[in-house]
Amino acid sequence: KATCNNEGLKRRLCKVCGAKEEETISAHDHTYSTNFLFDSSTHWNFCTECGIKANDNNHVEGGLNCNICGFRFPTTISGEGNGMIFALNDDEVSYTLIDLGTCRDTDIEIPSEYNGKPVVAFNSCFAGKTNITSVVIPNTIKNIPNNAFKNCDNLVSVIIPDSVENIGEYAFYECGKLRSINIPSGVSVIKYGTFSRCHSLSSVVLPEGLSSIFTWAFSGCSILKTVVLPSSLQRIESNAFEYCPQLNRISLPKNIYYI
């Protein structure tokens, strides 16, 4: 299969005479994401295949948010302890973690409260932070955003509370040292590329209530050996377990209608 970095090879075999034929397939162009990664000053697109950054630009002010990527500019900066940056949400009764600021901890616990109000969300501020080894998410959070921990090369563990109902696309893409993951029962879909290229992930137990596994969800998990599928599962999309060479066997639930 050709990628944006490497040529592919197509092989044909004649069923009559056994003759073989090979054709080189040229590497294709990068396929850039339509959504953005961002930090406190810039936003950028990325290739969904190799992760290369493109269109890195400063935020464009438009009131409280960037006009391009939607980044919310901070209204309050934490001066307490870990140096993380929080923004007051539109409801004015809760906060979002928007940047790690001066925090350089390797083991991070997202606070459940800031300035007397709950922390109910975080953006992709962890993405690409190679120093982080563990993260604890509080039970005030329901959503893990797209690209949340993308390319966190040394991330070994993430504690996800039962309050989480959604895990975004490419949330754990190329977290090469992530060994295990607990997926709460409220999560109904494993989205595009969520755990793609997690090379240390050897087994996964998916919760009852899960209905769909999207394209590339676990692709490239090179040592994945065991996947336990729930009886509630109805759909597995193409390439969901592509390039998982050690996944030799999988039992499909009876309710599944699309593979």
Side-chain angles (χ1 to χ4, degrees):
K1 181 180 179 180
T3 69
C4 52
N5 290 319
N6 299 295
E7 293 181 337
L9 187 64
K10 181 183 290 186
R11 295 186 176 93
R12 301 184 184 89
L13 176 66
C14 178
K15 294 181 179 180
V16 178
C17 68
K20 297 178 181 179
E21 183 180 85
E22 293 186 348
E23 177 186 354
T24 300
I25 304 171
S26 299
H28 56 72
D29 294 334
H30 294 292
T31 303
Y32 291 110
S33 62
T34 55
N35 57 310
F36 290 89
L37 290 178
F38 50 78
D39 55 26
S40 60
S41 58
T42 63
H43 53 249
W44 60 90
N45 301 106
F46 59 92
C47 176
T48 58
E49 198 162 36
C50 72
I52 191 172
K53 183 188 290 189
N55 304 318
D56 191 358
N57 292 298
N58 292 329
H59 293 306
V60 178
E61 288 195 31
L64 295 175
N65 301 84
C66 171
N67 278 339
I68 306 300
C69 70
F71 169 79
R72 183 181 173 101
F73 299 107
T75 57
T76 307
I77 298 179
S78 169
E80 301 176 8
N82 56 22
M84 297 179 187
I85 300 174
F86 300 84
L88 186 65
N89 295 324
D90 292 339
D91 59 14
E92 297 186 350
V93 296
S94 63
Y95 280 93
T96 293
L97 171 62
I98 60 169
D99 198 287
L100 295 186
T102 59
C103 178
R104 297 294 181 268
D105 295 345
T106 57
D107 301 303
I108 294 180
E109 183 171 352
I110 300 173
S112 61
E113 185 178 286
Y114 171 70
N115 203 25
K117 295 179 173 65
V119 176
V120 299
F122 65 98
N123 62 14
S124 57
C125 58
F126 293 96
K129 300 297 191 295
T130 57
N131 64 305
I132 296 173
T133 58
S134 70
V135 176
V136 177
I137 299 171
N139 61 11
T140 51
I141 286 175
K142 294 183 178 181
N143 175 58
I144 295 177
N146 294 347
N147 313 302
F149 301 100
K150 179 183 168 71
N151 296 124
C152 288
D153 297 342
N154 291 299
L155 185 65
V156 174
S157 69
V158 176
I159 304 301
I160 302 175
D162 291 339
S163 58
V164 168
E165 299 173 352
N166 175 70
I167 302 176
E169 298 175 8
Y170 299 98
F172 294 93
Y173 179 81
E174 283 204 340
C175 290
K177 293 186 179 179
L178 188 67
R179 296 172 188 165
S180 62
I181 195 75
N182 61 302
I183 301 173
S185 58
V187 175
S188 61
V189 175
I190 305 297
K191 295 187 174 180
Y192 296 99
T194 299
F195 299 102
S196 180
R197 298 177 65 83
C198 288
H199 297 299
S200 298
L201 198 61
S202 60
S203 65
V204 174
V205 177
L206 300 175
E208 284 296 334
L210 187 78
S211 62
S212 300
I213 301 174
F214 284 6
T215 300
W216 304 315
F218 293 95
S219 69
C221 292
S222 55
I223 69 165
L224 185 62
K225 296 180 180 178
T226 305
V227 176
V228 178
L229 302 177
S231 60
S232 57
L233 187 67
Q234 298 178 353
R235 182 183 183 95
I236 300 176
E237 293 192 355
S238 61
N239 308 106
F241 296 97
E242 180 184 39
Y243 301 129
C244 295
Q246 297 195 43
L247 185 61
N248 296 320
R249 194 171 190 179
I250 193 166
S251 297
L252 299 176
K254 65 179 181 180
N255 290 329
I256 201 161
Y257 70 86
Y258 180 91
I259 298 179

